[in-house]
Amino acid sequence: MNLKSLTLPELADIFKELGQPAFRAKQVYTWLHKGVRSYEQMTNLPKELRELLERQYPICPPEAVRRQESRRDGTIKYLWRLSDGNCVETVLMRYHYGNTVCISTEVGCRMGCAFCASTLGGLVRRLEPQEMLDQVLFTQVDSGLPVSHIVLMGIGEPLDNFDNVLRFLELVNSPEGMNISMRHISLSTCGLVPKIDALAERKLQLTLSVSLHAPNDEIRNRIMPVNKAYPMEQLLEACRRYYQATSRRISFEYAMIRGVNDSQDNARELLERMKGLPAHFNLIPLNHVEESPLQPSTRGAVAAFQKTLEDGGIPATVRRTLGGDIDASCGQLRRNYTRQTEKREP
Ligand code: SAH
């Protein structure tokens, strides 16, 4: 068990069993959530306690095996090696409103989206709550940049790792920990309908992002296998329920793929489908993935699509691409690293 996956009350229980006073639990919790790499750094703890914790609950911080920094916009991308040797990536983006960390929630992904590099090798395993927290903590420690916003848009499908993701949110939101407001957190899903309903029940103030990427089932089935389990109408119904339960406007992601989902007809059909659902669209020019024949839309097609949505009353922004010079998207760093090491160790 890793102490960093525990909430403060749970940690307090462990310290009680160890015969330690309650304030020690709070001290340790605070240190752990600062991203210390060893108990030795916990200077206000008695030496014997530090040694006992080191023996029973080693911290096992992730190791940065790759670090790339964009010269253009300061985006930093990390590839972390976890304690079992698996790797995940984290991206730090510098926006005017604050430093934002994009974290992975799984090692690999089983959703199979046709345009995505993270899913090419399938799902290896889900991340523990502390492994998600560590990405935020150690990105902050390594970069020296205070993190104020988090997006769950890295490798993996957060709602396919529901319990661990919810626990991570509780940890990162805790006042004694990083104290990051739910309003500064976005969670992105490919559209697991029952899990969207389960999330709605929690009434969290985070932003739900739904990866829609298509105006109809025919196109969505082609690029997102999850649509066969939860077709678009069911998904949009779940979004309506989510909005009713939380009063939080949903943000929709739409990766613009040349000749697949980017025509004016597609935009008009999308407008029609979205009627009555308060939404915001993020149009993302597709990031080309080597293994895939899909190509990004032209700038003109993206602009025309945006205009049609906006004219129809749906706010749409074209996502600025950051870190274009450093493979900073969706599983590409892990993929390239795994390929290189596979070549070296056949
Ligand atoms: N599994 C979650 C979150 C991870 S992906 C989800 O599907 O939402 C984060 C976003 O990046 C998703 O909208 C995903 O569809 C998109 N994405 C994946 N590969 C992409 C690519 N090659 N180009 C542009 N967007 C991509």
Side-chain angles (χ1 to χ4, degrees), residues 109 111 113 115-118 152-158 188-191 209-213 224 253-256 284-289 319 329-330 332:
C109 182
M111 296 298 141
C113 298
F115 44 79
C116 180
S118 303
L152 283 72
M153 293 189 183
I155 300 170
E157 167 51 47
S188 180
T189 179
C190 64
S209 274
V210 172
S211 301
L212 201 58
H213 305 329
M224 299 181 74
E253 287 157 286
Y254 198 101
M256 305 277 308
I284 316 154
L286 184 80
N287 255 300
H288 179 66
V289 171
R319 187 173 292 167
S329 72
C330 319
Q332 295 187 9

Side-chain angles (χ1 to χ4, degrees), residues 150 152 159 165-166 168-170 173 181-188 199-200 202-209 242 246-251:
I150 299 174
L152 283 72
L159 296 187
V165 162
L166 270 124
F168 158 72
L169 293 175
E170 187 180 345
N173 180 236
S181 148
M182 283 289 173
R183 287 181 178 266
H184 288 187
I185 300 178
S186 294
L187 183 154
S188 180
L199 187 66
R202 313 286 174 117
K203 300 198 195 303
L204 301 176
Q205 290 299 298
L206 53 73
T207 299
L208 180 65
S209 274
Y242 187 89
T246 62
S247 308
R248 301 282 297 161
R249 188 174 67 161
I250 293 176
S251 152

Side-chain angles (χ1 to χ4, degrees), residues 68-77 91 322-329 332-333:
Q68 299 181 333
E69 184 160 352
S70 164
R71 280 192 211 144
R72 283 185 220 157
D73 51 47
T75 298
I76 309 177
K77 181 146 191 173
V91 187
L322 293 179
D325 51 337
I326 55 163
D327 290 338
S329 72
Q332 295 187 9
L333 187 60

Side-chain angles (χ1 to χ4, degrees), residues 30-328:
T30 309
W31 279 116
L32 288 174
H33 286 242
K34 279 193 179 130
V36 293
R37 299 192 77 85
S38 82
Y39 289 102
E40 248 168 72
Q41 289 171 263
M42 303 189 182
T43 43
N44 56 356
L45 252 56
K47 193 159 179 280
E48 308 76 64
L49 179 58
R50 281 185 271 164
E51 286 169 0
L52 173 97
L53 292 171
E54 187 61 57
R55 275 196 309 277
Q56 294 203 9
Y57 306 104
I59 293 183
C60 310
E63 288 296 324
V65 288
R66 286 271 192 285
R67 180 189 193 279
Q68 299 181 333
E69 184 160 352
S70 164
R71 280 192 211 144
R72 283 185 220 157
D73 51 47
T75 298
I76 309 177
K77 181 146 191 173
Y78 294 93
L79 186 71
W80 302 108
R81 190 184 338 185
L82 309 173
S83 53
D84 68 348
N86 276 304
C87 291
V88 291
E89 43 196 278
T90 307
V91 187
L92 175 77
M93 293 160 295
R94 307 172 71 170
Y95 290 111
H96 62 90
Y97 51 76
N99 299 315
T100 303
V101 166
C102 174
I103 66 156
S104 298
T105 54
E106 298 180 314
V107 180
C109 182
R110 61 186 185 127
M111 296 298 141
C113 298
F115 44 79
C116 180
S118 303
T119 199
L120 289 169
L123 175 68
V124 179
R125 71 170 174 86
R126 301 186 166 91
L127 293 186
E128 296 298 321
Q130 127 266 337
E131 291 174 319
M132 294 179 244
L133 181 62
D134 278 348
Q135 294 175 61
V136 186
L137 293 174
F138 291 107
T139 296
Q140 181 170 267
V141 169
D142 180 275
S143 67
L145 298 166
V147 172
S148 56
H149 291 67
I150 299 174
V151 297
L152 283 72
M153 293 189 183
I155 300 170
E157 167 51 47
L159 296 187
D160 194 36
N161 188 11
F162 193 84
D163 293 343
N164 287 348
V165 162
L166 270 124
R167 180 172 273 263
F168 158 72
L169 293 175
E170 187 180 345
L171 293 171
V172 86
N173 180 236
S174 71
E176 302 83 4
M178 290 199 81
N179 199 14
I180 293 184
S181 148
M182 283 289 173
R183 287 181 178 266
H184 288 187
I185 300 178
S186 294
L187 183 154
S188 180
T189 179
C190 64
L192 300 177
V193 165
K195 296 293 164 61
I196 293 176
D197 284 327
L199 187 66
E201 271 175 33
R202 313 286 174 117
K203 300 198 195 303
L204 301 176
Q205 290 299 298
L206 53 73
T207 299
L208 180 65
S209 274
V210 172
S211 301
L212 201 58
H213 305 329
N216 59 45
D217 284 324
E218 192 258 313
I219 297 176
R220 203 161 189 269
N221 281 339
R222 260 195 280 152
I223 53 177
M224 299 181 74
V226 67
N227 197 66
K228 291 174 189 147
Y230 306 110
M232 239 176 107
E233 204 41 54
Q234 283 184 33
L235 175 57
L236 294 178
E237 277 305 318
C239 291
R240 289 195 177 88
R241 291 192 293 274
Y242 187 89
Y243 178 73
Q244 270 158 15
T246 62
S247 308
R248 301 282 297 161
R249 188 174 67 161
I250 293 176
S251 152
F252 288 89
E253 287 157 286
Y254 198 101
M256 305 277 308
I257 312 174
R258 193 185 305 172
V260 174
N261 64 1
D262 64 347
S263 71
Q264 283 304 295
D265 277 350
N266 296 152
R268 284 188 288 267
E269 186 176 2
L270 186 60
L271 265 179
E272 200 53 43
R273 294 296 291 266
M274 297 303 298
K275 281 225 165 100
L277 177 57
H280 172 270
F281 269 80
N282 259 314
L283 305 176
I284 316 154
L286 184 80
N287 255 300
H288 179 66
V289 171
E290 217 181 278
E291 290 85 345
S292 152
L294 301 173
Q295 297 292 331
S297 303
T298 62
R299 246 191 242 187
V302 176
F305 201 94
Q306 178 188 24
K307 183 165 189 315
T308 303
L309 290 188
E310 295 241 314
D311 289 349
I314 297 187
T317 38
V318 178
R319 187 173 292 167
R320 195 160 62 101
T321 42
L322 293 179
D325 51 337
I326 55 163
D327 290 338

Side-chain angles (χ1 to χ4, degrees), residues 18-31:
L18 292 174
Q20 292 289 329
F23 71 92
R24 291 281 181 226
K26 195 163 164 194
Q27 285 177 323
V28 170
Y29 188 90
T30 309
W31 279 116

